[in-house]
Amino acid sequence: MKIKLLPWVAIAGALTLTGCGGSDGLLGEDKDVDMMEPETGVEDPADRPRPPENEPTMTTGEEFLLDVADNPVFLRGVALAYYQDTAQMIQAIEPIAATGANAVRLMITSDVTADQLDGALSTIASNNMVAVVSLTDDGSALHCQEDPNAIIDAVNTLWLDKWIPVLAQDRYQGRMIINIADGWGPMGVFNASSLGYQEYVDTYKALIRRFREAGFKLPLMIDGANCGQDFNAFLVGRGGELLAADSEQNLIFAADGDGQRWDSADKIISANTLLAQEGVPFVMNAFAGSETGDFPVNQSDFMAQSVGDTALTVDASWASSEDGVGYLNAFGETLDLTGGATSLDVFIDRRYLEFMRVAPGSSNYAPNGTTGIAIYLMDADGNRLRLGMSLAKELRENTWNKMRFDVPAEIDPANLMNGATEFDQTAVTHVGVEILANGKADAAEGEIKFDNLNVFPGVPPMFTSEFNTDDDSEQWMVDGADSWVADGSLQALPTDGQVNYQMAAWNGDAIGQIDFSKTLNVTARIFLPEEYATDHAGMWMNAFGQFGEGWSWNSVSVGAAQLVPGEWAELKYTMNFNETVEPPSDIYIAQAFGLQVGGITTPKSEPILIDSFVIEDPSARPTKIVTDTQYKATFSSGLNGFQNAGWDGDQVELANVDGELVATVPAGDSGAVNKADVNSVPEINFGGNLTVKARLFLPETFAGSDFWIQFFFQSGSWQHFSVGAVDMEAIDYGEWNEVEFEITDEDYPEDFARTLSPQMFGFQYGDTVAGEFKLDDIEIIGDKVVDDLQPIYEQGFDTAASVEGLEVDFTLGALDAGSMVAAKSLGWHVVPFGWTATTWYDASALTITEDVLGELLTERGEEVVNGPHGITATSLPVIFE
């Protein structure tokens, strides 16, 4: 993997460092001239022990830690709080080894003596485990702190002075990793594009060089910022910058899995994907226990993902903008996919998104990539049907996207491929993935990855009318129009201003197929001729039902705006007569139901066409509601990326005061505050309903004024969307107020780019009173209903054979089958990683045993040790000699 380093990476300030043999500055003569070409280390003049020059150590590649025999090492162990009671804790090492663990994260503080450290390392070595020696403290200087002087002092006085007689011993060089500091680094940034990590990077670069100058060649482990949780510190080339500063090229990046950035499997996968691009191995130094903290993580998610997951990688040699390829996978049996669905995970290189300025001279960029990714099916007769396509500009860059397409009830001829004229949904034999250049730019290239190609069974509709036989109305009657069935449609030429489509019990038994005791979804595919355009604005529609011996009338209004003159449209509505019929028992006596279309002027020369009525029971399809906090700003430290959007000439001044966002404004100001890095928050998803919440404090001086405030988004294509104006009459001035806004599908503006990351999120205000107002706990919550069907076919691309078995179905443009066979390979979806669980012996809720000897495992400990992805199942021995 080649590391891409951005130009600004080469701009760095010098860091100084005191140390044995140093000069007046903190760094002495060891200033950073060119961080991408580190200076050769100089011999430390101090009279202190040095590791043997040629003693083998563990090393690192782009993705993995390697033992002295160059075998990949995946750490599986626990963190041992050795510093708490060294005499007692050393007794835990053998029980840890007895679980099959291959590593111990040995937590030490400045109170641990060299002899105590030597005893622990010797015991770990004798039990054939890797020692990850990690410096921590009580949080006063290193852990969750960002003062560079403290970590510099710790390296000079502890690592390279107090403990170096032990650390430099030859017997430990191939068995040890030095974790320089537990969770040191800037707090509250969590923004890959921020400049707030510069001091962190500069400090660690200097410390890396100090260890190398002292003769250490073994792996150095660097914790993420913000108590170890903030992996963004390694992104956007900073990982490459740290690696370039290491003459041994032997680094490991580490994170602590705690908090809202780690509280779902998807977030773990996203972090893993981003970190893999830095070309340095990644481990979880710790992960918190399930059901603890404000954003509880699931320890089983970390362990499940740590074993890794492979994917199909396609790296095409594009030759023209008309190129394309279809890869086909056989089911092995014929499947009926009527009403079914497909899904696919897709990872696409950033270059395919083709970011362009939104306007000449603008500093804002939006994706314009046209490369298409589609899923298609093949039936038993070789006919192909494209289910749907996503363009690169609709996908998120350098992360995994999930595509999902339903198998349509009615086939649109435009989606039939390769000259097919029909498609049999009841006899499907293959599923395929199609990649189309689709007019893309020549520079749009790179890897595209696919995984989890799943096919889901259909839930057949409760009732369907398709009008496939001429002159067969399938028991439908039409009033107010001349009607007939031809060319696959029920056709009605209005003779009156209202057309009634109905099915009645006296006309046959078809109505008996419908269970009106349930809430039902109806989809009618209707063509309204262009001739009706002048009527369209005044047209109205009702769904109706008549029930019981008294033929009680019930109706539901249907939005006529769904019809489009001159085009086919899918009219969707819900029939909930089960909630309105009185007495309720009458719902079981259905006399008639139908659809009324009114507001039509006559005469007309062209008929209204209906080619299908489909009635579905949504309760028949298993679903689940997914609700998640997609983003939350608590302002525990800093501004969390919020800044003046510049709309008011930079008059508003922002500050974090006591963990709250304080906006100081002059009288009459109108402007906006924007979370400028919101497009780097991959969790924000406009696919379903959203809730925006915040706490707002307005001083009493604002009461009675014209002040107003509202929240807003701007989409990935820069459409503006005001999501809620605060009701100023409901505000309690001088107190904190909870404000909340619901966003439903109907609220999004037309053409709002719901598949892209937002460009802006924040709040607007106007007509201010001179003074201050405050906000806190700004939160975006997503809530959507998703299918919970289990797939009937799964392709996880988990073996080389699964990639080899994927056939090249067709090629387009200048591509040929041979080159596209060569273009596919087995790659990583999730790169496997090591972990050391928190914690072996501790007084906290995270303890995994009831006693130091590990004889009594807690429920957590049972999963960590004996779970399906725990130590016993996944730990492999390490070669040390």
Side-chain angles (χ1 to χ4, degrees), residues 496-500 535-536 538-542 560 596-601:
D496 199 351
Q498 176 178 325
V499 178
N500 298 325
D535 298 336
H536 188 239
M539 290 178 67
W540 56 268
M541 306 179 78
N542 275 326
Q596 299 174 314
V597 182
I600 302 170
T601 60

Side-chain angles (χ1 to χ4, degrees), residues 16 45 56 76 80 96 101 109 127 133 145 164 178 336 340 370 399 409 486 543 624 626 650 743 761 807 813 880:
T16 53
R76 294 291 188 270
L80 178 64
I96 292 174
T109 66
N127 282 278
V133 188
Q145 301 296 321
I164 199 168
I178 291 179
D336 182 349
T370 59
T399 191
K624 61 182 177 180
V626 178
D650 294 328
I743 306 168
F761 165 69
E807 300 177 358
F880 295 111

Side-chain angles (χ1 to χ4, degrees), residues 540-560:
W540 56 268
M541 306 179 78
N542 275 326
F544 68 90
Q546 292 179 280
F547 300 91
E549 299 299 334
W551 290 66
S552 64
W553 176 269
N554 293 260
S555 66
V556 176
S557 178
V558 177

Side-chain angles (χ1 to χ4, degrees), residues 94-107:
E94 286 191 7
I96 292 174
T99 68
N102 62 17
V104 176
R105 188 179 182 215
L106 190 70
M107 308 298 292

